[in-house]
Amino acid sequence: MRDRLLAAEKVKAIDWRDGALHLLDQRALPSRETWVACTSAAEVAQAIRSMTVRGAPAIGISAAYGLVLAARERIAEGGDWQAAWEEDYALLADSRPTAANLFWALKRMRDRLDRVKKHADPLAVLEAEAIAIHESDREANLVMAQLGLERIRKHQGNAQAILTHGNAGALATGGVGTALGVIRAAFLEGLVEHVYVNETRPWLQGSRLTAWELAGEGIPATVNADSAGAHILKTKGVTWVVVGADCIAANGDVIGPIGTYQLAVCAMHHGVRFMVVAPSSTLDLMMATGDDVSLEERDAAELLEVNGQRLEVAAFNPVFDVTPADLIDVIVTEKGIVERPDTAKLAKLMCRKRLH
């Protein structure tokens, strides 16, 4: 399966080359493929804030490369470059505060810098660490795809319909994707007949990004309004809802794109299994429950501007919501699978080494 998935890779959103971070501008998709080159930490932070790059794993990888760019600039300036580098660290940390992978990647880069030997080249060490973070995510995607595929096969061995929300594919990661990685693998094994894609308002990650990825690989997919999700679960024979996550709390609560929570409620009502796919770097064991996270809100204009005209009403535009652990059937990570997640099960999972 690994080789078949690698052969099917058609989308890459992050490219580190020629001393710069190149990001596929996800704001422009699917109408055009435009790349943005970032040569400073400030440019990377702005790319994250503006959603040029998005998806928790991709944000973490981008931030790691951002710290490489910061080190290069600060070392060239001379003086106490590490003190100045910490300012760049803080700037990147503030770019998308809900993405757990962001803080995981930043901390890993800082820890690596703290271990640099006296005569080592800190810039080379940091670059190698960022590349390792990128490659590690790609490998984790492949492991999760296989694990998720096996779980889908276990519960139903024939072709089936799956529903997904948001975009947790190659565009959101360093590899084939988390949720879409599982869907891709299941399709290659003949286990997916059709994929229903929630449009995922207001940024339309589903209709603009997920549908584009699936169409590019010939996977049958239909875009639907988010509000049609419950009706589809009731009438279209969906057996699994498969989604990614931006953060997972210690008790198994999942922070994901707004609308994930209501989809999980509807899935439970209709007896449809609910799978969350995310690397272990998305788990934050210091966060007791999802209620402890500060959920990001975005500009009201994203909801109120229609055909170039602004509606003169108030708007509430949260980016994420919290899906309680008791609505989740299974969490898939590269360290293994947790069924009916809770604090004890996730703590045990995080003590494991990777399966690959």
Side-chain angles (χ1 to χ4, degrees):
M1 177 51 64
R2 173 191 169 86
D3 290 341
R4 294 174 70 191
L5 278 173
L6 289 174
E9 277 189 338
K10 294 184 178 180
V11 176
K12 179 170 69 172
I14 303 169
D15 192 13
W16 174 254
R17 55 183 166 84
D18 303 325
L21 175 63
H22 299 263
L23 300 170
L24 181 59
D25 190 346
Q26 299 190 32
R27 301 167 301 178
L29 292 172
S31 58
R32 65 185 189 279
E33 295 182 36
T34 303
W35 287 82
V36 174
C38 300
T39 58
S40 70
E43 289 176 350
V44 175
Q46 177 56 28
I48 294 171
R49 280 194 299 270
S50 66
M51 295 182 72
T52 299
V53 61
R54 41 143 301 281
I59 288 171
I61 294 165
S62 298
Y65 285 125
L67 287 180
V68 178
L69 297 171
R72 185 176 66 194
E73 183 176 0
R74 298 304 189 179
I75 290 171
E77 291 173 353
D80 187 358
W81 72 268
Q82 285 188 246
W85 185 81
E86 287 291 339
E87 296 177 11
D88 299 309
Y89 186 106
L91 178 68
L92 288 162
D94 192 50
S95 58
R96 288 298 298 276
T98 307
N101 308 65
L102 170 65
F103 301 99
W104 173 85
L106 291 176
K107 183 179 184 301
R108 178 166 160 175
M109 292 291 284
R110 178 192 273 161
D111 290 346
R112 186 66 188 90
L113 182 60
D114 290 342
R115 299 195 306 273
V116 171
K117 295 180 180 179
K118 183 176 181 181
H119 299 294
D121 177 357
L123 183 56
V125 169
L126 286 171
E127 182 178 16
E129 189 70 9
I131 292 171
I133 289 171
H134 194 169
E135 288 300 316
S136 176
D137 187 69
R138 188 183 189 211
E139 291 298 319
N141 282 194
L142 294 171
V143 174
M144 290 184 287
Q146 182 65 48
L147 292 174
L149 157 66
E150 291 169 359
R151 187 49 50 103
I152 288 174
R153 179 188 284 122
K154 175 182 177 181
H155 285 284
Q156 187 164 332
N158 55 346
Q160 54 203 282
I162 288 176
L163 189 150
T164 190
H165 184 74
N167 173 261
L171 291 170
T173 69
V176 296
T178 53
L180 284 196
V182 170
I183 291 171
R184 284 180 164 100
F187 175 75
L188 289 173
E189 288 290 291
L191 296 176
V192 173
E193 181 179 43
H194 203 88
V195 182
Y196 291 93
V197 182
N198 274 7
E199 60 178 346
T200 322
R201 290 267 306 153
W203 265 77
L204 302 176
Q205 298 101 311
S207 56
R208 289 193 306 107
L209 305 179
T210 295
W212 178 75
E213 287 196 47
L214 294 173
E217 297 185 26
I219 300 175
T222 299
V223 173
N224 55 269
D226 294 347
S227 53
H231 178 67
I232 287 171
L233 294 176
K234 180 181 179 181
T235 62
K236 298 298 184 180
V238 171
T239 55
W240 282 95
V241 174
V242 184
V243 299
D246 290 84
C247 183
I248 301 175
N251 72 332
D253 290 350
V254 169
I255 295 87
I258 190 70
T260 306
Y261 176 24
Q262 64 190 32
L263 190 58
V265 171
C266 292
M268 177 166 281
H269 177 77
H270 291 290
V272 174
R273 295 181 181 87
F274 196 90
M275 177 188 294
V276 176
V277 190
S280 59
S281 55
T282 304
L283 275 70
D284 185 352
L285 296 186
M286 300 302 293
M287 180 187 299
T289 75
D291 294 333
D292 296 334
V293 70
S294 178
L295 295 176
E296 179 184 350
E297 295 182 33
R298 292 186 65 86
D299 194 331
E302 294 175 357
L303 296 180
L304 298 181
E305 290 186 1
V306 180
N307 296 327
Q309 296 187 0
R310 183 182 175 100
L311 303 174
E312 295 303 323
V313 294
F316 176 49
N317 188 19
V319 182
F320 304 103
D321 57 25
V322 179
T323 300
D326 60 6
L327 295 177
I328 297 166
D329 289 284
V330 60
I331 293 177
V332 177
T333 79
E334 83 286 2
K335 291 189 174 188
I337 292 178
V338 174
E339 294 193 37
R340 311 305 305 175
D342 59 27
T343 302
K345 292 177 182 177
L346 287 177
K348 183 178 181 181
L349 173 80
M350 293 299 282
C351 291
R352 299 178 191 167
K353 295 182 179 180
R354 288 191 172 194
L355 295 181
H356 66 286

